[in-house]
Amino acid sequence: MCARRIFALVAALSALVLVGCSGDPADPDLASRQSCEASSCHGRAGSDRGIELAHRGFALTCTDCHGGDGTTRDKESAHVAPAPAWVAERRGYIRNLSVNELDRVDPDYLRFENPGDYRVAATSCGSGSPANPGSGCHQDVVYSAARSVMSTFVGHFGPPRFENGMQGRDAELGSRAIEDPEGVDPLPEGAVRSLVQARVPAADAPRDSVATAIDHYLPKNCTHCHAWSYGRNDARGNFRSAGCSSCHFVYTNDGVSESNDPSAISDRPPHPRTHELVTAIPGNNCEHCHYQGERIGLLFRGVVEWGLTDDPPFPNIGESLHNHPPEFYLQASSDPAHPADLHYTAGMTCVDCHVGRDVHGDGRIYSSAKQQTAIRCENCHGNVDEALMEGRVTKPLTRDGTDPTCTPREGDPGSFWNCAGDSLRRLSRHDDGSIWLTPAGGSADLRVPQIAEVLAAGLNPNMQRAMGRDASTGLSHTQVLECESCHTAYRQYCFGCHVTMDYGQEKSDLLSGERTPGAELTSRSFTSFDLFFVGVNRRGKIGSFCPSMQVFLTATGRDASGAEVTYFENRIRRTASGRRGFNWAVDASHVSSRRPQPCSRCHANERDACSTDEARETFGFGTGRYEWTDDTGTTYDLTRLLDPDGTPVVDFAHEGQGAVPMDVIGRALDICVSN
């Protein structure tokens, strides 16, 4: 009984509500009609010593969200308790469970603990809610978010396996088996009908195979960064919930409750800051997942990774974070040459740009976040020909005037749209015709410059030369360049990733929860803050290019006698074509700057006797600065993307991406600029 009471109390205090229905305004007395808000329990919502009202848009009772019995004052009867046998297990603590272990939890208890979990969200947040007034509540979002890239985590599985010739570019594996039963035909570009859950190889899989090491590494390493489970919940910056609640409830870095609930546990994590649903999600909440991969959560606020030598180029952030000591992260923005993103310094946060399909998906199962993401810089700032207009999207320009990735068919006629037709509701037009943004974080409204208007004013001759249309040809750089190809302040590149798979140790699969031989040890050789690369994205435009997944793998273990065995060492992957399995990808690093990259990044430099050395580095002909040797004795220039004749030395894991074509490179190198 004692264990049951402890778990029931933990459930009540850490349960996270993510519910909501459109309908009548909130009734301030509705929630207090249940015994949950007795002064001896959770207290009256909104009072000085009372639990916060989670959903202010529509009055809901505690049991509308969490289930249980709201008519009794007996805690044992009011709460939904887990099965005693489950409590007895050490891993019975729900936040420690893998995806498949969560699947086996009693749905009533799972809902009591976290109504936003996708397994039960239709009953609490969606059409099955007891409070549903016939609107379906948030059922559409419940359906689509469970299939979004933040839930399927496809980007973690597809590119690494593609680079070893184990699958094509379309997604095959995900964090959970899932289907798209809607029958939409044809599917959007990059979408698939279904995914199967990633699995570790069978016990008799050959340990001298790179493929075996990869399929152990992927489910065991980073698969805590998706919404079908709670993630790590083990260190500062890693605390969050699961499902809808993973975003819509705020956690501090310390994961400690600041709630007015008299029963709240406030001396230890993991608990949400308060019992309140938010739509103005702070960027710190996003960083609890987005600190790996492209590191955009860190770079956005001017923080970079280090941990390589005792001579860091910037001061450290002064706090431990994500299981790393303070010296692992550096405050690059302390140096004016390496600023935080201009949107961050202006007071903006992630949800000011990323809305609708970007965060919730659209119900389709995309192979990459690059195919799901719908926001473009031009959706807020216009393009060189036109400013924003209500009731339509202002598209990025292309050379042929078409962009199949930005063709919304419908949207709110009174709002501005992104490329999926989602409303950018924080944008509004003032009486003088200017466009303003109201930041989600509560900072002062910001005027949103419209590129066409700034160009027309003729205030910046350099901007006119770089972005305006050429008087003789009518062409603009913006037809062939993405905004971030010039307006990224800097990039952090990591070169030479090393993964050792040790079959002499066991580790749990983060998806199934099963413990099997094979535990990884990772490190990297080099990092750079001054190089810059460009490539072509699936829209045919040049963008900022990132070398990634330059993995050198080692596999070790022990033989029957217990002696150490090395199956292979410093072996690289090979794609299906036989090329080196080093991926490069166009992405936005989220370090936007008003000050553009120098023109010599892509053109001959007049100040250096029209040298093209810097430009050739940018296009990927190699720098010789970072090299590593594999198990065959072959040494690789890790900054090299192209042979001297312009032929790529790699295959690209993302559909439609690649190196800048040689004819384009040739024209760029023939132009000598003064910057």
Side-chain angles (χ1 to χ4, degrees), residues 495-520:
F495 299 99
C497 175
H498 303 278
V499 175
T500 296
M501 184 57 58
D502 182 359
Y503 295 108
Q505 301 184 55
E506 291 188 342
K507 186 175 182 180
S508 294
D509 174 349
L510 297 171
L511 301 180
S512 72
E514 298 173 359
R515 192 171 181 83
T516 58
E520 81 284 347

Side-chain angles (χ1 to χ4, degrees), residues 35-113:
S35 61
C36 315
E37 296 201 352
S39 59
S40 59
C41 298
H42 298 288
R44 173 71 180 271
S47 67
D48 290 340
R49 289 296 292 160
I51 193 168
E52 295 81 14
L53 188 63
H55 193 291
R56 297 184 179 278
F58 188 89
L60 301 167
T61 67
C62 305
T63 55
D64 284 338
C65 306
H66 293 276
D69 185 352
T71 65
T72 176
R73 288 178 179 265
D74 175 65
K75 184 170 67 175
E76 295 272 338
S77 303
H79 292 180
V80 178
W86 184 73
V87 172
E89 297 178 13
R90 183 177 182 275
R91 288 179 58 80
Y93 182 44
I94 198 167
R95 289 174 179 267
N96 290 342
L97 299 185
S98 68
V99 173
N100 294 2
E101 289 168 328
L102 284 168
D103 288 345
R104 296 192 290 270
V105 174
D106 175 7
D108 289 339
Y109 177 64
L110 195 61
R111 178 185 173 201
F112 182 71
E113 204 30 40

Side-chain angles (χ1 to χ4, degrees), residues 164-198:
N164 199 53
M166 300 163 68
Q167 69 172 74
R169 291 186 175 90
D170 286 342
E172 297 179 6
L173 305 182
S175 59
R176 194 170 190 262
I178 198 163
E179 295 183 350
D180 176 0
E182 294 297 302
V184 175
D185 195 32
L187 284 172
E189 180 188 1
V192 296
R193 293 287 184 197
S194 63
L195 300 171
V196 299
Q197 188 180 51

Side-chain angles (χ1 to χ4, degrees), residues 30 116 121 192 207 253 294 473 492 510 615 617:
L30 185 59
V192 296
R207 294 181 176 179
N253 277 348
E294 296 174 1
T473 66
Q492 173 170 2
L510 297 171
E617 290 180 354

Side-chain angles (χ1 to χ4, degrees), residues 315-560:
N316 70 60
I317 62 173
E319 60 175 335
S320 61
L321 203 60
H322 308 309
N323 274 311
H324 292 294
E327 55 268 22
F328 187 83
Y329 293 112
L330 308 181
Q331 194 66 54
S333 59
S334 61
D335 174 12
H338 298 84
D341 191 290
L342 66 86
H343 301 93
Y344 174 82
T345 57
M348 292 174 61
T349 191
C350 310
V351 296
D352 288 323
C353 294
H354 295 289
V355 302
R357 193 174 91 178
D358 279 22
V359 288
H360 292 140
D362 60 3
R364 309 286 75 77
I365 303 170
Y366 290 100
S367 296
S368 166
K370 293 172 174 56
Q371 292 151 340
Q372 181 179 308
T373 304
I375 191 65
R376 309 280 188 270
C377 302
E378 292 87 347
N379 299 162
C380 289
H381 294 285
N383 57 44
V384 300
D385 294 331
E386 58 180 356
L388 299 192
M389 289 293 292
E390 292 83 352
R392 63 182 179 85
V393 63
T394 304
K395 299 181 180 182
L397 298 177
T398 60
R399 186 178 286 274
D400 65 4
T402 65
D403 183 356
T405 72
C406 192
T407 55
R409 291 188 293 271
E410 57 185 3
D412 178 2
S415 69
F416 304 107
W417 301 359
N418 68 11
C419 280
D422 301 316
S423 294
L424 300 170
R425 298 192 183 281
R426 296 194 175 277
L427 292 178
S428 61
R429 188 184 298 277
H430 283 200
D431 291 341
D432 65 358
S434 59
I435 309 296
W436 290 73
L437 176 108
T438 302
S443 59
D445 284 6
L446 302 168
R447 183 163 184 167
V448 182
Q450 299 299 294
I451 300 302
E453 295 173 358
V454 177
L455 285 171
L459 301 177
N460 188 335
N462 290 330
M463 179 181 177
Q464 186 68 46
R465 285 193 295 272
M467 298 178 65
R469 289 193 177 276
D470 184 90
S472 59
T473 66
L475 294 177
S476 165
H477 268 95
T478 62
Q479 292 175 271
V480 294
L481 297 175
E482 296 285 8
C483 301
E484 71 269 10
S485 61
C486 293
H487 285 282
T488 294
Y490 68 99
R491 294 295 306 252
Q492 173 170 2
Y493 296 124
C494 297
F495 299 99
C497 175
H498 303 278
V499 175
T500 296
M501 184 57 58
D502 182 359
Y503 295 108
Q505 301 184 55
E506 291 188 342
K507 186 175 182 180
S508 294
D509 174 349
L510 297 171
L511 301 180
S512 72
E514 298 173 359
R515 192 171 181 83
T516 58
E520 81 284 347
L521 176 67
T522 62
S523 65
R524 63 172 178 260
S525 300
F526 316 107
T527 191
S528 165
F529 304 112
D530 62 330
L531 287 174
F532 198 81
F533 302 101
V534 295
V536 174
N537 62 22
R538 66 193 180 99
R539 294 183 287 278
K541 298 183 71 172
I542 296 172
S544 176
F545 224 20
C546 181
S548 64
M549 301 184 211
Q550 299 176 328
V551 182
F552 292 80
L553 294 111
T554 299
T556 62
R558 294 185 179 276
D559 63 18

